[in-house]
Amino acid sequence: MSDKVSKIEKQVIVMALLTSAIHLGLIAFAAIRLGIGVPGCVTNVRPFTSGSLTKIGPKRYEVHVLAKMWSFEPSRLRLPAGSVVDFFVTSKDVTHGFHIEKTNVNLNAIPNVVGYAQARFNNTGSYSIICHEYCGSGHQAMTGFIDVKDDLTDAEADGLSTPEAAEASNSPGKNLLAAKGCIACHSFDGTKMIGPTFKGLLGREEEMEDGSKATVDEAYIREMILEPNKRHLKGFNPVMPKLPVSEQEISDIVDFIKTLR
Ligand code: CUA
């Protein structure tokens, strides 16, 4: 009896192996002899091999966004006011979020899926791009921003990724604040967010949880960046993360904050 069962099992195993072999053989035949492309990842195919901004008409743009641990490509867009932008969003690795503040663009960036949204940027100013889907240890630093300006022409519009954006900018400090994710919790315009606003920060008198006072200068900002939880600012939760920032980057950031009066 048990002999018979094992015989049938053997036949099933042989058939399963044979079917798999025929299946793989047919794929190889299609790919090699017939030249049919075997499907790959969307990020291996243009335009998703890298992020890009393409002009498709006057004040009309297409932006292909590549989300990856832990940045967006492109991470900084400059657009003339009144631009209408089609966003096509995908991910190179895990699921990310893609939210542009002050707009209704709110997508998930999912590997091998292309998300679509359109936005019109009528108001000048800075719009933060935020990853709102937890994606690992660098999640809170995964941001970008869009600068919308009145005096920008279509030819001057561009979309850059983080290192080239900081280099090309006349304000490296501002780009760093976006690239390091600071703008997810700190505003430029006085709005109270998770952390204190950068507006008017230099020279401001801050009160600590223990009642002591401190006037904000360059040394204070350096300390808050390098050792964020040494002192605890009154009215805010001590959630500032420690981020790797060089001395040069700190002075770029301070230079930019000085301009936010
Ligand atoms: Cu990407 Cu969170």
Side-chain angles (χ1 to χ4, degrees), residues 68 70 95-97 131-135 139 142:
K68 56 185 183 179
W70 289 282
T95 299
H96 296 276
C131 174
H132 54 68
E133 188 73 42
Y134 183 73
C135 57
H139 161 73
M142 188 167 165

Side-chain angles (χ1 to χ4, degrees), residues 14 23 31 97 101 106 114 116 156 213 217 225 233 235 261:
V14 168
H23 182 79
E101 62 159 5
N106 191 351
V114 178
Y116 169 78
E156 288 167 322
K213 300 247 166 80
D217 55 10
I225 294 173
L233 199 59
R261 289 275 141 221

Side-chain angles (χ1 to χ4, degrees), residues 46-68:
R46 278 197 306 150
F48 286 105
T49 46
S50 63
S52 61
L53 175 137
T54 315
K55 193 187 157 199
I56 54 171
K59 296 201 177 183
R60 286 286 286 118
Y61 298 92
E62 268 181 12
V63 176
H64 289 89
V65 179
L66 189 57
K68 56 185 183 179

Side-chain angles (χ1 to χ4, degrees), residues 104-249:
N104 56 8
V105 177
N106 191 351
L107 297 169
N108 274 343
I110 302 166
N112 285 319
V113 173
V114 178
Y116 169 78
Q118 190 183 71
R120 178 187 288 273
F121 296 92
N122 282 335
N123 299 325
T124 58
S126 198
Y127 298 68
S128 300
I129 304 171
I130 296 157
C131 174
H132 54 68
E133 188 73 42
Y134 183 73
C135 57
S137 62
H139 161 73
Q140 91 282 356
M142 188 167 165
T143 51
F145 69 95
I146 302 173
D147 250 346
V148 178
K149 288 183 174 156
D150 259 335
D151 53 356
L152 211 67
T153 65
D154 268 329
E156 288 167 322
D158 59 17
L160 298 174
S161 298
T162 305
E164 54 191 77
E167 212 163 285
S169 171
N170 48 18
S171 174
K174 187 179 185 185
N175 271 301
L176 282 165
L177 291 172
K180 303 273 179 192
C182 314
I183 56 172
C185 299
H186 302 273
S187 75
F188 293 155
D189 61 2
T191 311
K192 187 180 168 178
M193 294 167 74
I194 293 166
T197 180
F198 289 134
K199 188 179 180 177
L201 181 62
L202 261 131
R204 189 159 76 204
E205 190 170 78
E206 299 279 42
E207 196 182 347
M208 301 299 136
E209 198 62 39
D210 62 8
S212 63
K213 300 247 166 80
T215 304
V216 178
D217 55 10
E218 195 163 338
Y220 174 97
I221 293 176
R222 172 176 286 107
E223 185 196 304
M224 280 299 178
I225 294 173
L226 297 176
E227 289 175 88
N229 297 312
K230 199 170 151 192
R231 286 195 271 184
H232 181 185
L233 199 59
K234 192 174 180 177
F236 293 95
N237 286 322
V239 292
M240 167 101 177
K242 228 174 185 165
L243 295 169
V245 184
S246 71
E247 276 302 311
Q248 178 61 49
E249 288 173 332

